[in-house]
Amino acid sequence: MEIVYAEMKILILLISIISIINQVNGQTTQCKDALKPWFDLTRVGIKISCFLNDGNILYARGQAAQDRGVFKATGSYSSVESIQEGCLGGKDQPFDINQTKPLFFDYSSFQIDSEGHVFMVPVGRPAVDVYVTECRGNIMVAFTTNGICTYHFSNKAYTNLGSESCQDPRNEPPVNQKAATFDTTLNSEWNENGKHYGMFSSIITNTGKVPFQGVVFSADLELRDPSSIYSAVAIVKGQWKLPSYVQSIQVGSTYHFSFIKEGKEIPTFRIDSFY
């Protein structure tokens, strides 16, 4: 009986370990997918926010340049903490911008690779050597022994904290760098059962800075019938997406589809989303 009980305990332990491994592997895959578009770029802006165990919050920002699959800091990343208080309007305020200080010594003090491995050596703080485990869009999260750190990726070239005046432009480009255009041509037209129809071809061009798998698009038009659009899949009336066999549309590449609709007017396609 004791032997059976011991074997059951070992089995439960093995199941728990396998479950944890599967969970970590899933998170790693998720983060790799989230990081992948950023590693198509050579330089990014990164905001770092760390919520420390003692209740202090640290914020820093700077730029990073890619070196063979690793983003490395290109500067010292000026930082400010919530415990650094200043007086504003006669009241104490956290994050006093006049008390900023460098977070890193040099480029080797902050690195993050395409696998999600983060290495940081903050000035005056313990080194951080972890993997990001929670990732959504352009935000990556890592759990450290001292707290939680988030890494917010952007295509903006961040300047040092405190170096911008209130009159400086803050035109941060959108994080989503995917973009596309539609070029539609009328190929032929005819009358059928008292209605005038046109045969059109359309070219989607990836004009963004990163590849995308597909695009959801819409237009105000009346197809001859629901099956009169080719190489595009209907979602609802007036909205379509690319077929599932399309794996990726690279930067500068094109995708062709065609359709038959009432009238000869060239429709205007709207991009609803990328995926």
Side-chain angles (χ1 to χ4, degrees):
M1 187 69 179
E2 291 181 357
I3 295 175
V4 173
Y5 179 69
E7 290 178 346
M8 288 181 63
K9 288 178 65 177
I10 293 173
L11 179 60
I12 292 172
L13 178 61
L14 288 173
I15 292 173
S16 299
I17 293 173
I18 292 171
S19 176
I20 292 171
I21 291 173
N22 288 337
Q23 182 180 10
V24 171
N25 286 340
Q27 292 169 335
T28 302
T29 301
Q30 176 198 59
C31 289
K32 286 181 182 178
D33 292 342
L35 284 165
K36 187 178 184 300
W38 297 103
F39 280 85
D40 291 327
L41 307 177
T42 57
R43 183 178 291 265
V44 295
I46 300 179
K47 294 178 182 178
I48 302 173
S49 301
C50 292
F51 303 83
L52 306 176
N53 293 336
D54 60 6
N56 185 25
I57 301 173
L58 180 147
Y59 172 80
R61 72 183 189 197
Q63 300 180 51
Q66 186 181 169
D67 179 17
R68 290 170 292 184
V70 180
F71 275 120
K72 299 179 180 180
T74 59
S76 59
Y77 278 58
S78 57
S79 66
V80 65
E81 301 177 34
S82 60
I83 59 173
Q84 295 170 330
E85 296 185 345
C87 185
L88 180 64
K91 297 181 179 180
D92 286 335
Q93 298 289 331
F95 300 105
D96 183 6
I97 201 69
N98 296 312
Q99 299 186 51
T100 59
K101 57 184 180 181
L103 184 61
F104 305 122
F105 288 109
D106 52 33
Y107 73 91
S108 63
S109 298
F110 173 53
Q111 302 179 18
I112 181 168
D113 66 23
S114 58
E115 300 291 314
H117 179 219
V118 178
F119 178 72
M120 294 197 310
V121 185
V123 176
R125 294 184 178 277
V128 173
D129 190 357
V130 295
Y131 279 84
V132 291
T133 54
E134 296 290 339
C135 304
R136 296 289 188 278
N138 61 323
I139 299 176
M140 321 299 162
V141 181
F143 294 83
T144 75
T145 56
N146 296 313
I148 302 172
C149 288
T150 66
Y151 305 91
H152 177 281
F153 281 68
S154 172
N155 59 348
K156 179 176 179 179
Y158 291 124
T159 56
N160 287 330
L161 287 174
S163 64
E164 296 176 324
S165 67
C166 296
Q167 289 75 36
D168 286 342
R170 304 300 177 96
N171 299 321
E172 180 173 355
V175 171
N176 188 348
Q177 300 179 69
K178 297 175 182 177
T181 59
F182 288 78
D183 183 13
T184 304
T185 303
L186 173 63
N187 297 325
S188 60
E189 53 183 303
W190 66 93
N191 291 314
E192 181 180 319
N193 298 326
K195 292 185 177 181
H196 194 79
Y197 292 103
M199 178 72 182
F200 298 80
S201 60
S202 192
I203 302 173
I204 302 174
T205 303
N206 183 348
T207 57
K209 296 183 179 180
V210 295
F212 59 81
Q213 179 182 348
V215 58
V216 176
F217 57 96
S218 58
D220 299 321
L221 57 84
E222 285 293 333
L223 295 175
R224 181 178 62 176
D225 57 65
S227 63
S228 293
I229 188 164
Y230 313 98
S231 299
V233 179
I235 301 174
V236 295
K237 184 178 180 180
Q239 187 181 60
W240 304 269
K241 65 178 181 178
L242 303 191
S244 59
Y245 59 74
V246 178
Q247 296 298 312
S248 177
I249 299 179
Q250 299 298 312
V251 175
S253 297
T254 59
Y255 179 82
H256 298 246
F257 69 96
S258 58
F259 56 94
I260 300 172
K261 79 170 190 72
E262 291 187 20
K264 62 179 182 180
E265 298 79 13
I266 294 178
T268 299
F269 288 100
R270 301 177 296 272
I271 296 175
D272 296 332
S273 64
F274 293 95
Y275 58 92

